[in-house]
Structure formats: structure tokens, C-alpha cells
Amino acid sequence: MVSPKVHAALEAARKTPAPGYRDLLTTIQDLSPPEDLATDLQAVLEDILDANLGVVTTRILMREYIPIIKSQASSNPNLAIKVGSHALQVIAQKTTISSSFIDQTSNIREIIATAYENLEDWTSAARVLSEIPIDTSQRRLADDEKAGIWVRIVRCYLEVDDATKAETYLNKLKNIMHKVSDPVTNLHFKLSTARIQDSNNSFLNAAHSYYDISLIQEIDEDERFRTLSMAIKCAILAPAGPQRSKALGKLYKDERSIKLEEHGILEKMFFDRLIEQDEVEKFSKGLAPHQLAKTSDGSTVLARAVCEHNLLSAGKLYANIGFDELGVLLGVSGERAEDTTAKMIEQGRLKASMDQIGRYIYFEAGEPSGESGSGHAEAVFGKEIRRWDASVHTATEDVERLANLLQAEFPLFVASNLMVK
């Protein structure tokens, strides 16, 4: 029910529509009681659209109407959502003019999305923003405007940890970001890229992305330290190997890292020292839920990263070690230690060879190449096995050479006695 003062103002406005509705929109927040403002705004818009004032005049009135909704997005987001959604519905019903108000409906959708964001309803905000037309025959946006909308959608989905949907819009952004000049949009794009890499467990790439952001002088110092902290966490969670070692070196040598809580475990990993369980538990308290998620083998990402790191550290302490003893050192079973070792050798992340019969690993000097398939995980190794193989190979060559000599000197004898019929 329309409030009495607004009802009277509507009656007066209908007599001189163009100036009358403008005057009403200018004073409506004074005329309408707070509890009736949503209903009154809905009634005024319906009246304006029913008046058939023409597209030009209606657009002018909409320019007065939309800021009223916008002013409520922060202070009264529920009202902004209610009035904005009603406006979209009413305009859509006017099929003869709806296509002429694409800019206005797009502005209303952005206001509704802002209201949802203020209510921390990120999924609804992303949905409303995705309904904004980007490229149509009536409306074409510049690359900066497209990027601004898509970045907001990405950030909303990331707030609810929906990396899959966020990545869909991030991929759209990748095609136009080289044309976008707005520094804020570029920063949000870089940060969103890092967060998606992080959510997808692409920790090494995420570490590089976060670190690059931490070097941007234009952003707040606290934000630079926060992204540096995230870079260290992701580098620690990355698979052990030469590429991670390079990332750890860069982070450790950054003089800012000593001020962060993660510096202790970073230092140990950089110098290939064994990580104790209490240090792992302390570090895990600062991780996000997805960074503590379990992998397909039942262990957490952190447990796997520490296990692989300690395996590399063991290579600095021992020339060889049994699988069961290695399992005790790593805090896993002997079979798990064997599987981890084989996998790291095969992926070129560990220089070692395995005697799977004697259940021993022999560490080799030098740094691993990091190239997949460069290890020896598929073969059986060990000094005694290698000597035995060499002896067998020599013996078979001697037998073959003797058979060839007999064939040359005594062909009939060989044919009658040695040849298999």
C-alpha cells in the first residue's frame, strides 16, 4: 500500500508527468516513511512506465530513479535488492521498450550485486552480474568495462571457494587483459589468478604469482606481506624438487620473509633440514581448508609435501638406507616410503637408485634434473645386482661367440649335433 504523501504526490505528478515525476523522485525519500520506501518506489516506477512518456523522457526519469536504489545498497541492501529486482521485472514486462533500457537494467543489476556483496551472499551477486549483457547489438562494452564485471564475478565465486566457476570467467579475462589499462582491475586479475592456482593445488605457480604481487609497490604494505606469506605457504606445499628449491631460495633471500611466522619452516626447507612433526602442526594452523584437504592416497597436501622434503633431506644425510628405516624417518610405512621414492625418481625430482629386492635406496650425488622419466624407478638396482647383471651379460656373449666359431669351423658337426630341428 502506497503511503499517503506519496499517493498524493503521484496524483499531482500525473497532471504534468515529466516535471511532476522528477519532482517526486527528488523528494520521495522525505515523503515516504522508511518502512514504506520500498513499496513507494515500486509504485512510482510502475506509474512512470504506465504513463507512456516515450523512451527519451523515461530514460531521463530513470537517471533520477536508479541513484535512489544505489543509495540504499550499503545502508539497506535488502531494500535495494527488493526494489531493484522489481524494477527489472517491470521493465522486462514492457516488451515494447525493454530493449531500449539495456544500460539502465545493467546499472540496476550492478547495484543489486553490490547489495548482495554487502550481505556476503556471494553466489547471488555472481549470478546477477553474469546476467549483465556484455556484447549485444544494442550495447557493446569497452574491454575495461568487461574486465571490471568479470573480475567481480571471479572474486565472488572465490569467496565461496568455487574455483571451477571462477576459472571460467578468469579464462575470459585472459583474452582481454592485455588491453585493460585500469591498475585496480589488473591487480585483482593477478590476485584472482593466484587464488585459483592455489585452490587447484597448483602450488608452485601460485607461489610465483603471489610473490609477484607482493613486489607491487602501489599496494598497501600489509597486503604485500600477506601475499608474501601466501607465496611461502604455497612454495612449502609444492611438490619437492629442483623447481620448488628455486622458489624457496627466492623467498628465503627476500629480506622481508624473516618478519613472517613461516620463516622458520622456510629456512629449514631451504637448507634441506628435516622437518619435525610439531613444526608441521604449527604451520598447518595458518593454512586454508583446501590446503589441508586429503589427496587420493589419504594423506594431506601438507603431509605429502613434508614427506617428500624429508626424503630429499635424508639424501643429504645418508648414502643409502632401507625402506623400513626410511619409513620410520618419514613417519610412514616402508611401502609408502618405497612408493614415494619411486615416484620422485621417475619424475626426476630425486637422484637415487633402488634395490627393490634388498629393499634399499642408494642416494646419488648431484642435483636432480626435474625432467620426467630421468630416474631409475622402473629398474632393480644395487651394487651386487649390477655386478651380477654384468657377469651374466659377459657369459652370454662368450657362449654366443663360441657357437659362432664352432659353426664356422665344424658346420656339419654343428648341424648334426647342436642345431635344433
Side-chain angles (χ1 to χ4, degrees), residues 321-365:
I321 189 172
F323 290 140
D324 293 328
E325 291 77 8
L326 179 61
V328 172
L329 185 66
L330 302 181
V332 297
S333 66
E335 290 73 18
R336 178 71 178 278
E338 179 182 358
D339 291 342
T340 302
T341 301
K343 181 178 179 181
M344 291 184 67
I345 293 173
E346 184 180 1
Q347 293 175 348
R349 297 189 285 130
L350 174 67
K351 288 199 72 175
S353 56
M354 294 168 59
D355 176 359
Q356 292 174 307
I357 295 177
R359 294 182 57 75
Y360 258 82
I361 173 174
Y362 295 88
F363 296 106
E364 299 175 6

Side-chain angles (χ1 to χ4, degrees), residues 70-260:
K70 187 175 182 178
S71 68
Q72 301 295 318
S74 297
S75 58
N76 195 346
N78 287 312
L79 183 146
I81 293 168
K82 182 178 180 180
V83 175
S85 299
H86 173 265
L88 294 177
Q89 182 181 358
V90 173
I91 293 172
Q93 291 172 351
K94 302 289 183 179
T95 56
T96 56
I97 63 169
S98 59
S99 60
S100 302
F101 292 91
I102 292 179
D103 284 336
Q104 288 73 23
T105 55
S106 297
N107 291 337
I108 292 172
R109 284 190 170 91
E110 289 195 53
I111 293 168
I112 295 173
T114 300
Y116 277 127
E117 288 170 342
N118 290 329
L119 292 172
E120 297 185 1
D121 185 350
W122 308 106
T123 303
S124 295
R127 175 184 53 78
V128 172
L129 288 168
S130 67
E131 294 170 353
I132 296 175
I134 300 298
D135 280 323
T136 67
S137 56
Q138 294 89 5
R139 185 175 191 253
R140 291 192 177 276
L141 296 183
D143 290 323
D144 279 61
E145 293 176 293
K146 292 180 190 177
I149 294 170
W150 287 338
V151 158
R152 283 184 71 183
I153 296 173
V154 170
R155 295 178 68 197
C156 285
Y157 280 128
L158 286 174
E159 288 294 333
V160 291
D161 291 325
D162 193 340
T164 302
K165 289 182 179 177
E167 193 168 10
T168 299
Y169 287 92
L170 188 77
N171 289 334
K172 294 183 179 183
L173 281 165
K174 289 178 181 178
N175 296 324
I176 64 169
M177 286 309 297
H178 63 284
K179 302 177 185 177
V180 176
S181 58
D182 181 47
V184 175
T185 302
N186 274 284
L187 176 60
H188 285 314
F189 170 73
K190 291 176 181 178
L191 186 57
S192 297
T193 299
R195 290 180 65 184
I196 289 174
Q197 290 169 337
D198 186 357
S199 296
N200 290 337
N201 290 359
S202 181
F203 292 118
L204 191 58
N205 289 329
H208 289 303
S209 297
Y210 279 128
Y211 184 68
D212 289 342
I213 296 170
S214 77
L215 297 175
I216 299 175
Q217 295 299 315
E218 288 76 15
I219 65 176
D220 183 73
E221 184 180 18
D222 289 341
E223 183 66 17
R224 293 202 301 273
F225 271 99
R226 192 185 74 83
T227 50
L228 178 61
S229 172
M230 291 302 300
I232 293 173
K233 290 175 182 176
C234 289
I236 289 171
L237 293 172
Q243 296 303 316
R244 190 191 72 157
S245 296
K246 291 178 182 178
L248 290 173
K250 182 187 293 185
L251 292 165
Y252 178 74
K253 292 172 185 176
D254 191 310
E255 59 186 17
R256 299 173 296 167
S257 66
I258 198 172
K259 300 177 182 178
L260 299 173

Side-chain angles (χ1 to χ4, degrees), residues 381-421:
F381 286 84
K383 293 180 181 178
E384 296 299 326
I385 297 297
R386 285 197 291 271
R387 278 199 294 267
W388 176 263
D389 286 347
S391 298
V392 171
H393 183 69
T394 301
T396 55
E397 284 184 339
D398 289 342
V399 171
E400 184 178 4
R401 184 166 54 255
L402 180 60
N404 290 336
L405 289 172
L406 287 171
Q407 176 73 24
E409 291 291 330
F410 307 104
L412 294 177
F413 173 79
V414 172
S416 60
N417 294 280
L418 301 180
M419 297 295 287
V420 179
K421 295 181 180 180

Side-chain angles (χ1 to χ4, degrees), residues 6-54:
V6 172
H7 179 76
L10 277 173
E11 292 289 341
R14 292 180 189 126
K15 298 175 183 177
T16 54
Y21 286 122
R22 289 192 68 179
D23 291 341
L24 173 56
L25 291 172
T26 302
T27 59
I28 189 169
Q29 295 186 75
D30 296 324
L31 296 174
S32 178
E35 65 274 14
D36 294 329
L37 182 58
T39 304
D40 289 346
L41 285 170
Q42 291 172 345
V44 169
L45 181 63
E46 290 177 3
D47 222 64
I48 291 172
L49 294 178
D50 288 339
N52 296 320
L53 301 174

